[in-house]
Amino acid sequence: MKSHSFQNGDPFPTIGLGTWKAAPGEVGNAIFAAIKAGYRHFDCAPVYGNEKEIGRAFAAAFSDGLVKRSEIHITSKLWCDAHQQEHVLPALRKTLADLQLDYLDLFLIHWPVALTHGTLFPESRADFLTISEAPLTETWQAMESCHAQGLCRHIGVSNFSPARLTALSKFATRPPEVNQVECHPFLNQSRLLTTCHDLGVILTCYSPLGSGKEKSSSTDIFQNETIKKIATARSATPAQITLAWEIARGTVTIPKSTNPARLAENLAAADLNLSPLEIASIDSLDQNHRFIDGSIWTEDGSPYSLDWLWEGDAIE
Ligand code: A2P
C-alpha cells in the first residue's frame, strides 16, 4: 500500500475508501470487503449519516483479528453546526462514540461555512452564522485543543480556497496538514495544489471519479476519449487511469464504492505508473467543473457567496 507521510512520519495511505453516499445497510459490508481487499484508509463524516454502522464494522473487524486499529487510518470531520468553540470537542466525542474509536487519525473542518447548532442543512437565513459570529480562528483553536488531548492525531480542513488555507496556516499554532477538496481530471485544482505544496499541506481528492452524479457526456470522466484511450493502451479501466493520475500528481484520493469488484479495481490503480506524456494529456482536460458547486451554502438569504467560498480568504 503506497502512503504519504504526515509531518511526524505517520503514514497516510494514498488510496482510501470514501463513505459519502454509501447507504446504511451497505456501508458496513463495504468496510469489511475493503479491509479484506487491503484498504487501510477510511474517510468518514457525521453528515453522511452512516458512522454508527461503520463503527460496528470496525469493531467487528478488530475483534475478528482482521486488522488492528493501529494499522488503519480513519478520518472524520466537524460538521458546520459545531464551529463555535464549545461545540467542537462534543462533536468529536460523538463521532468517536459512533465510530467506536478512542482517537481519529485525522479530524477535518468539513466546510468553512457555519450553521447554528443543531442545523444539518440550512433552510433559511436564520440557520446560518456569519464568519464573525463563528470565526474559523476560534474553531481552529478548538481543533488544536482536540489534538493536544490526543483525540485526533492530525488536524486539517476541507473545501478551503487557496487564500483561506494560507490565512489559516499563518494564524495556526499547529497548521492544517490536509485540505480535502473535490479534485478530478475536470477540476484539476492546479492552483490549490501549488498552494498546498508551498504550505506543506497534503491535498486529498474527494469525488475523484466524478461523484457518480448524472452527467452530460462532456462531464462523464469514464466516457472521455483521452482517458479511454490511455485505459485501452494500459489494459486498465477509465476509473483506474483517473485514480493513477491523481496519485501521480502527489495527491491522496478517496474513491467511494460499495461494490467488492470495484473496490479491488480502484485499489489496484496504485500499481499503475503513468508516463509524463499521459499525465500531461489528462492535465489538459481541466474544465474547472465542480460536481459539488457549493450552491447549498449560498441560497436562502445566506451571508455566503460562491466567490466567498472558493476565492475568499476570510477566517474571522
Ligand atoms: P459504486 O459504489 O456502485 O461502485 P466518487 O468516488 O467520485 O464519489 O464516485 C463514486 C461513484 O463512482 C459511485 O457511484 C460508485 O458506484 C462509482 N464507482 C466507484 N468505483 C468505480 C469504478 N471502478 N468503476 C465505475 N464506477 C465506480
Side-chain angles (χ1 to χ4, degrees), residues 78-90:
L78 180 76
W79 189 237
C80 309
D81 74 329
H83 280 201
Q84 289 166 301
Q85 275 194 334
E86 66 273 25
H87 298 311
V88 175
L89 181 60

Side-chain angles (χ1 to χ4, degrees), residues 74-310:
I74 303 172
T75 295
S76 189
K77 312 186 187 89
L78 180 76
W79 189 237
C80 309
D81 74 329
H83 280 201
Q84 289 166 301
Q85 275 194 334
E86 66 273 25
H87 298 311
V88 175
L89 181 60
L92 174 55
R93 288 200 189 282
K94 167 83 169 77
T95 270
L96 288 172
D98 286 351
L99 291 172
Q100 303 192 32
L101 302 174
D102 300 327
Y103 68 92
L104 291 178
D105 295 276
L106 176 62
F107 189 36
L108 305 177
I109 298 179
H110 205 149
W111 287 89
V113 166
L115 300 173
T116 55
H117 193 53
T119 299
L120 197 56
F121 291 106
E123 288 176 7
S124 74
R125 170 67 184 87
D127 292 332
F128 288 97
L129 295 174
T130 63
I131 188 76
S132 26
E133 287 169 326
L136 284 164
T137 46
E138 292 182 13
T139 311
W140 190 254
Q141 285 168 334
M143 299 285 287
E144 289 177 337
S145 157
C146 293
H147 173 269
Q149 292 174 62
L151 296 172
C152 47
R153 300 258 161 108
H154 302 275
I155 48 179
V157 296
S158 181
N159 295 300
F160 270 44
S161 66
R164 183 168 289 114
L165 181 67
T166 303
L168 186 66
S169 297
K170 279 191 191 145
F171 164 82
T173 304
R174 169 171 284 275
E177 286 193 79
V178 169
N179 188 15
Q180 184 184 122
V181 295
E182 180 180 343
C183 185
H184 45 68
F186 297 154
L187 179 70
N188 75 22
Q189 299 276 19
S190 56
R191 187 163 54 98
L192 179 61
L193 195 54
T194 302
T195 303
C196 286
H197 187 260
D198 293 347
L199 294 170
V201 170
I202 300 171
L203 190 154
T204 299
C205 306
Y206 76 66
S207 299
L209 299 173
S211 194
K213 281 203 158 188
E214 257 185 57
K215 308 159 189 109
S216 70
S217 56
S218 68
T219 56
D220 186 340
I221 291 172
F222 300 152
Q223 293 308 319
N224 179 270
E225 290 305 327
T226 302
I227 291 177
K228 275 176 24 185
K229 207 169 128 198
I230 298 172
T232 306
R234 293 288 191 144
S235 304
T237 65
Q240 288 177 318
I241 298 301
T242 303
L243 298 171
W245 168 81
E246 287 155 10
I247 294 167
R249 298 173 84 226
T251 63
V252 166
T253 185
I254 47 166
K256 172 262 172 188
S257 184
T258 48
N259 173 292
R262 288 193 284 278
L263 282 170
E265 177 186 322
N266 294 345
L267 200 59
D271 299 328
L272 278 168
N273 289 310
L274 300 183
S275 70
L277 206 61
E278 289 169 327
I279 294 168
S281 65
I282 302 177
D283 284 347
S284 72
L285 301 178
D286 187 53
Q287 308 174 18
N288 201 27
H289 180 82
R290 291 183 190 275
F291 292 103
I292 315 303
D293 66 5
S295 55
I296 53 160
W297 305 122
T298 63
E299 291 163 358
D300 303 315
S302 164
Y304 302 103
S305 66
L306 290 182
D307 190 56
W308 185 96
L309 187 61
W310 301 126

